[in-house]
Amino acid sequence: MQSRALVLFSGGQDSATCLAWALSHYEHVETVGFDYGQRHAIELDQRPTVLANLRDAFPDWSARLGDDHFVPIRELGQLSDAALPRAAEIRMGAAGLPNTFVPGRNLLFFAYAAAIAYRRDLTVLVGGMCETDDSGYPDCRDDTLKALQVALSLGMDRRVVLEMPLMWRDKAATWQLAHELGGTPLVEIIRRDSHSCYVGARGAGHEHEWGSGCGSCPACELRAAGWQRWRALHRAPQSPAAARAA
Ligand code: ZN
């Protein structure tokens, strides 16, 4: 059995759910985050909060949770004219992809992650990429990541396994997975502390039943719609904040 994993952990809903998934599947789990000059850098600020609250709420997971790595690759933002690294408006591009697509981003992330994993003797790389409910980014596709697994294994001359627990889950199923892994306490940590909003809206005036954000960017719309579908399907208990607001 593979027992040591590295999770690509951005501080968003998907990667926070993947971290919980890894902590319930592997004996030792480390995390890595990337600063590529993303406009929603507030996501990175939420990483230590999510990690600390997971440790507090889940002692078994805390014992498995190892080092957190941080890689600055700001050059990516200079190479790309995508909307995430800059303050451009989010819109669809001519190629049918939103201008939030950062060419090469996930390919680079996994190459860096594999290098860290090599040094730390971690055999599994876990990512929150998803083909079901996302923006059609070609570097989130199952085929891309399977090819990358082969390329990294050959290039490192050691077996590297890429696990994508959310690949075939939509956002409602992602909330459901969190509930299955850690019940209401985990859902509440992800709802309250993870950050998905592309424009980095957070704090007073930006709090919603489904978490914090502007409420109107594509990431907020996906997250809100997924939360509402999940709540309608599973009638999960209300979060304390939502109960107070009701
Ligand atoms: Zn938003």
Side-chain angles (χ1 to χ4, degrees), residues 90 195-201 206 208 210 212-221:
I90 296 166
H195 184 91
S196 306
C197 175
Y198 279 154
V199 300
H206 299 297
H208 310 269
W210 43 266
S212 285
C214 73
S216 55
C217 76
C220 281
E221 285 179 353

Side-chain angles (χ1 to χ4, degrees), residues 34-55:
F34 299 95
D35 176 4
Y36 58 100
Q38 56 267 60
R39 184 162 63 168
H40 54 313
I42 197 158
E43 186 183 57
L44 298 176
D45 296 338
Q46 291 304 112
R47 298 174 78 256
T49 304
V50 174
L51 289 172
N53 288 333
L54 284 179
R55 283 190 187 281

Side-chain angles (χ1 to χ4, degrees), residues 77-239:
Q78 293 160 16
L79 295 174
S80 166
D81 61 356
L84 279 191
R86 297 175 192 193
E89 191 183 335
I90 296 166
R91 56 179 163 67
M92 290 303 285
L97 284 167
N99 65 337
T100 47
F101 173 56
V102 182
R105 177 176 57 183
N106 288 339
L107 307 180
L108 270 179
F109 284 2
F110 276 104
Y112 279 104
I116 293 168
Y118 191 93
R119 173 169 59 88
R120 302 285 301 163
D121 197 24
L122 309 164
T123 51
V124 184
L125 305 180
V126 181
M129 292 73 197
C130 170
E131 200 172 305
T132 306
D133 199 10
D134 242 317
S135 305
Y137 297 155
D139 59 350
C140 289
R141 288 178 192 151
D142 193 45
D143 281 356
T144 305
L145 295 159
K146 285 193 165 108
L148 198 54
Q149 172 173 296
V150 174
L152 291 170
S153 295
L154 291 171
M156 301 275 169
D157 198 20
R158 131 182 338 194
R159 178 92 172 126
V160 178
V161 177
L162 270 55
E163 287 284 359
M164 308 292 131
L166 308 184
M167 181 55 72
W168 308 113
R169 286 183 162 94
D170 65 14
K171 281 283 187 287
T174 300
W175 286 114
Q176 176 61 18
L177 176 62
H179 195 260
E180 288 164 10
L181 291 168
T184 303
L186 179 62
V187 170
E188 180 57 13
I189 289 171
I190 295 173
R191 189 199 71 80
R192 186 190 59 216
D193 299 329
S194 77
H195 184 91
S196 306
C197 175
Y198 279 154
V199 300
R202 202 164 180 86
H206 299 297
E207 283 158 12
H208 310 269
E209 190 191 6
W210 43 266
S212 285
C214 73
S216 55
C217 76
C220 281
E221 285 179 353
L222 259 183
R223 180 165 166 151
W227 173 267
Q228 277 142 19
R229 276 202 317 281
W230 175 62
R231 291 290 306 277
L233 284 170
H234 298 277
R235 294 190 197 158
Q238 280 200 334
S239 70

